[in-house]
Amino acid sequence: MLETHNNKITPPQAVEGTPKATGDINDLLALMARLRADCPWDVKQTNHSLIPYAIEEAYELGEAVQADDDEDIKGELGDVLLQVVFHCQLYAEQGRFDMSDVIATLQEKLIRRHPHVFEAETLTDDAAVKARWDEIKAEERRVDEARGKPRRRLDATKAGSALMQAQDVQSQASKLGFDWEGVAGAFEKLEEEIEELKAEVRDKSKAEIKANISDIEKELGDCMFALVNVARKLSLDAEAATLTCVHKFKSRFGYIEAQLAAADKRLEDSDIEEMDALWEAAKRHERSS
């Protein structure tokens, strides 16, 4: 059993020899400790370097659930769990907290946010539960503020992908009066940002672009943010629209690959002119199907 403690944090003891898959959380923690000791890649990782992997694994889990394949779902749930275990190992090495502290914090939160289950409160439907949940979260934020934790008006926006965060922060700012009335202003801002991005790269050599890549990245981010604002003003979900485009691109590229394979050719044996012609054929195939 994992036990919460207030003593000095000690990282899990690394497993010796060749471990076995037991299904025991403590054995998993010992395996992670071993990887941190002996795997060159794992040794190099930090909490910050792992952030992209945690995001990627969450999306892959979502895709596995949509596909409804048990083996894939188990694998992706395990990958998400690995991110939790990896982060806990790193923080334990820093002497800050360990897995038992994370589990205890989660247990406390679940108990605190479900008074209708563990206390005398009676909530009759899911809408009432959601409203009470939001009330409790608001009270938790007030407690944080009383403890001196800074809280700004847009800090309560949702976590998620960059597109999701951009759209939510824009929506929250709109509720505070920081917005255009119609979509025209959003389009003008998008055009302005695109021109600024073009100016950063126009007539520049590869070396000049590389030397100025930080400023170019900022301008590109401004363009993405402005485009998300156009989506919001049109009542579209920027994340869903982008995912639709990704799936469409993959489908069309798959068509190209299949047509080349039917001609006994590989993608590597083709050129951009041939692939572009097949791309247009894929678009015609979509419209006719």
Side-chain angles (χ1 to χ4, degrees):
M1 289 288 292
L2 292 166
E3 296 182 358
T4 305
H5 53 75
N6 294 316
N7 300 325
K8 182 178 180 181
I9 300 298
T10 303
Q13 186 71 34
V15 65
E16 297 181 358
T18 302
K20 294 181 180 180
T22 64
D24 187 294
I25 184 66
N26 290 295
D27 290 340
L28 176 58
L29 296 176
L31 173 56
M32 186 71 252
R34 173 71 177 278
L35 296 177
R36 276 287 290 172
D38 293 342
C39 173
W41 187 87
D42 290 311
V43 169
K44 289 177 60 178
Q45 300 313 305
T46 67
N47 294 108
H48 284 88
S49 73
L50 290 176
I51 291 173
Y53 300 103
I55 297 170
E56 179 182 346
E57 299 301 353
Y59 276 105
E60 290 183 358
L61 172 60
E63 291 179 0
V65 171
Q66 291 287 348
D68 199 28
D69 183 288
D70 285 359
E71 291 304 312
D72 283 347
I73 294 170
K74 285 190 292 184
E76 296 303 339
L77 281 169
D79 289 343
V80 171
L81 177 59
L82 169 61
Q83 295 304 308
V84 177
V85 170
F86 208 150
H87 277 284
C88 286
Q89 172 68 28
L90 294 175
Y91 283 119
E93 291 172 7
Q94 299 163 37
R96 296 169 65 176
F97 57 81
D98 61 13
M99 177 65 85
S100 64
D101 297 314
V102 171
I103 292 174
T105 299
L106 174 59
Q107 291 170 320
E108 291 169 359
K109 181 187 294 183
L110 291 174
I111 294 168
R112 183 173 64 250
R113 293 187 180 180
H114 291 81
H116 54 289
V117 175
F118 304 109
E119 298 177 18
E121 287 190 17
T122 300
L123 301 177
T124 57
D125 55 36
D126 60 338
V129 171
K130 176 64 168 60
R132 185 70 178 104
W133 180 282
D134 290 339
E135 289 176 4
I136 295 170
K137 288 178 66 176
E139 177 58 32
E140 290 171 354
R141 287 194 292 270
R142 286 192 287 271
V143 171
D144 286 340
E145 291 170 0
R147 291 173 178 168
K149 184 177 180 180
R151 197 81 192 174
R152 297 168 299 183
R153 295 296 292 272
L154 296 183
D155 284 345
T157 50
K158 299 175 183 177
S161 71
L163 291 177
M164 293 166 66
Q165 290 189 56
Q167 190 148 354
D168 190 46
V169 77
Q170 290 168 1
S171 296
Q172 296 303 321
S174 178
K175 292 176 182 177
L176 299 172
F178 193 72
D179 198 4
W180 291 283
E181 281 194 20
V183 71
F187 270 118
E188 290 175 6
K189 187 62 176 177
L190 174 61
E191 292 163 2
E192 174 189 325
E193 297 296 356
I194 290 174
E195 285 304 314
E196 290 181 6
L197 175 61
K198 287 180 178 179
E200 288 289 346
V201 299
R202 188 179 292 122
D203 300 324
K204 300 291 196 310
S205 66
K206 287 185 178 180
E208 289 173 321
I209 290 175
K210 185 177 181 180
N212 198 35
I213 198 67
S214 178
D215 288 339
I216 294 172
E217 180 183 50
K218 292 175 184 176
E219 294 296 345
L220 178 62
D222 289 343
C223 290
M224 300 293 291
F225 194 82
L227 184 57
V228 169
N229 212 17
V230 171
R232 181 183 64 84
K233 298 298 288 185
L234 293 172
S235 299
L236 294 171
D237 186 309
E239 182 79 11
T242 306
L243 286 173
T244 297
C245 180
V246 169
H247 290 308
K248 180 172 62 178
F249 185 93
K250 290 168 69 174
S251 175
R252 290 178 181 175
F253 204 82
Y255 180 90
I256 293 172
E257 191 171 6
Q259 294 302 307
L260 289 174
D264 200 24
K265 295 179 67 175
R266 302 181 308 156
L267 288 166
E268 293 81 0
D269 300 326
S270 184
D271 56 29
I272 186 62
E273 287 78 14
E274 183 177 23
M275 286 193 283
D276 190 53
L278 288 172
W279 179 271
E280 293 301 320
K283 290 166 64 175
R284 292 193 296 273
H285 178 73
E286 286 175 3
R287 289 193 290 269
S288 64
S289 60

